Amino acid sequence: MTIKNMIEKANKKALQRMADVQPILVDIDLAINVVPGMEKRTIFHAGPPIEWERMSGPTKGAIAGILVYEGLANTIEEGYTLAASGEINFDSNHDHDTVGPMTGITAPHQPVFILEDPKTKSNAYCTLNEGRGKVLRFGGWSDDVLARLNWMRDTLAPTLRKAIIHSKGINVKAIISESLHQGDEAHNRNRSGTYLFLGEITPHLLDTADSSQVKEVFQFIKENADIFNLNLSMPHSKLIADAARDIDYCPLMVAMARNGTDIGIQVSGLGRKWFTSPATMVEGLYFPGYTADDACPDLGDSTISEVIGIGGFAMAASPAIVSFVGGAASEAVSRTERMYEITEGKNKSFTIPILDFKGTPTGVDIRRVVELNETPLINTGIAHKEAGIGQIGAGLTAAPIEMFNDALRAFGVKYLK
Amino acid sequence: MDTQIDKLLSNGPKVVNIGLHSFFEAAKAQGIPTVHIKWEPPAQGNQELLHLLNELL
């Protein structure tokens, strides 16, 4: 068998494994109880691994803040000092079966959604979404941010947990699939997915919580409907992408993530190695009072969406997204169409009504990316480059080509004997 | 009978631009009906990467 045949076979195997995964929401627990490698003085972050000194402003701010939440620092200033002291272990979410939006901070006593594939018993984890405005994941910090995080741990998570366990599991893939038919692309527009989730969980909330708790939880999710489901969509995508890992001769991308300083990818046939480039700037729409000069480079694990064929790859399903990230509705369609050029197949689970229910482009092949100099398109939120401020806009960017070139070189070294 | 060149001179050109986007912009700015086709040399013409792609793709 030629190497080209072996690659073709490997790619088919990867797509089949991705198609077979059924990410089910089975539980919520504190990260320290379930996330592999999580310890008392450990913090995981979005993107490829990075040392404290090189971290972006919002990432540093979110870490300093979460150290206050964890009770390891009394003030945000103490949080900065402790984080810089070398006493805290930092690592990439992705290398611990976890993902997180924007700074992606995951700390020991934050509650995380637990998703499981019933067939393989594999898991993926993600914190619960805080909503919009001044929030930790964008590097925002204030007494309100801390109070919200405490409420999420003490009220939101335990209430949802009882309902999730009572439900015996909620199929997140079915929610995402349907949400694409209702105008979401499941990265920056999650409104339909959130309401579909509410539809699934509400009967169980009513069976397991008192009416005041139900009202409080329902109100929070409803107020944050455009973003709440992202933190279910992301671990769902992580579980699917991880199924395609570690297949010899497979040149498909299985992770793409940014830490606000670097963007990195991992490739199925190349193990856990990160290939990185400097993170790009995002072109987009800014909230009043902010400009591109205020922006932090691209940030977050949420590009796990594009890895499995949703988000920027499914923009044709979500013409309404352009009112948030910029551009014209016709561009949403052409952006999806461009991604078929660099992907292995069409996703049977995620279809696009306006393209005659064609499956979304899925399985980015680094060979095609390098050949065409066409890199994955990303739509994303924009954080302020300084800590403490939070989200200032949203927009579009494309991954840089250099890390794909490096990955192809490594692929050649490993497989061309 | 008008030749092709007569028709071109009297009716003006219709342009299919391949590659350089600035040529497309220039034609469009002059009001010439133009469509653009994105094209560039494979792997941006990088010989090392082209050699790898010949083996792998």
Side-chain angles (χ1 to χ4, degrees), chain A residues 314-347:
Chain A
M315 279 181 72
S318 182
I321 191 69
V322 299
S323 65
F324 187 59
V325 297
S330 57
E331 284 173 32
V333 175
S334 64
R335 281 175 177 271
T336 290
E337 284 177 332
R338 278 165 59 189
M339 294 298 97
Y340 288 108
E341 301 289 322
I342 58 168
T343 42
E344 170 66 20
K346 299 176 186 68
N347 200 315

Side-chain angles (χ1 to χ4, degrees), chain A residues 185-201:
Chain A
E185 40 69 86
H187 182 168
N188 273 289
R189 190 180 198 279
N190 303 279
R191 184 169 293 274
S192 298
T194 298
Y195 284 121
L196 289 163
F197 171 71
L198 272 176
E200 293 288 332
I201 201 73

Side-chain angles (χ1 to χ4, degrees), chain A residues 4 367 370-371 373 409, chain B residues 38 40 42-43 48 54 56:
Chain A
K4 290 178 188 176
R367 299 172 305 162
V370 173
E371 183 196 24
N373 187 26
R409 290 186 183 102
Chain B
K38 189 185 173 216
E40 61 182 277
E48 176 213 2
N54 283 338
L56 296 169

Side-chain angles (χ1 to χ4, degrees), chain A residues 3-4 7 367-368 370-374 401 405 408-409 411-412 416, chain B residues 38 40-44 46 48-57:
Chain A
I3 187 166
K4 290 178 188 176
I7 291 172
R367 299 172 305 162
R368 297 187 193 285
V370 173
E371 183 196 24
L372 300 172
N373 187 26
E374 179 80 75
I401 188 69
N405 292 342
L408 187 74
R409 290 186 183 102
F411 196 88
L416 286 173
Chain B
K38 189 185 173 216
E40 61 182 277
Q44 300 173 283
N46 181 312
E48 176 213 2
L49 295 171
L50 277 172
H51 172 72
L52 279 172
L53 288 171
N54 283 338
E55 299 283 331
L56 296 169
L57 185 61

Side-chain angles (χ1 to χ4, degrees), chain A residues 206-218:
Chain A
L206 293 169
D207 275 347
T208 54
D210 66 45
S211 60
S212 67
Q213 286 173 321
V214 174
K215 192 176 173 188
E216 217 175 325
V217 166
F218 201 95

Side-chain angles (χ1 to χ4, degrees), chain A residues 173-187 189-190 192-193 196 233 236 308-311 313-319 347 349-354 357-360:
Chain A
K173 196 177 199 174
I175 288 176
I176 302 299
S177 178
E178 177 58 27
S179 77
L180 260 56
H181 290 181
Q182 297 184 18
D184 284 359
E185 40 69 86
H187 182 168
R189 190 180 198 279
N190 303 279
S192 298
L196 289 163
S233 174
H236 142 278
I308 66 133
I310 57 176
F313 284 37
M315 279 181 72
S318 182
N347 200 315
S349 303
F350 309 120
T351 58
I352 302 176
I354 201 170
F357 293 90
K358 185 154 72 165
T360 61

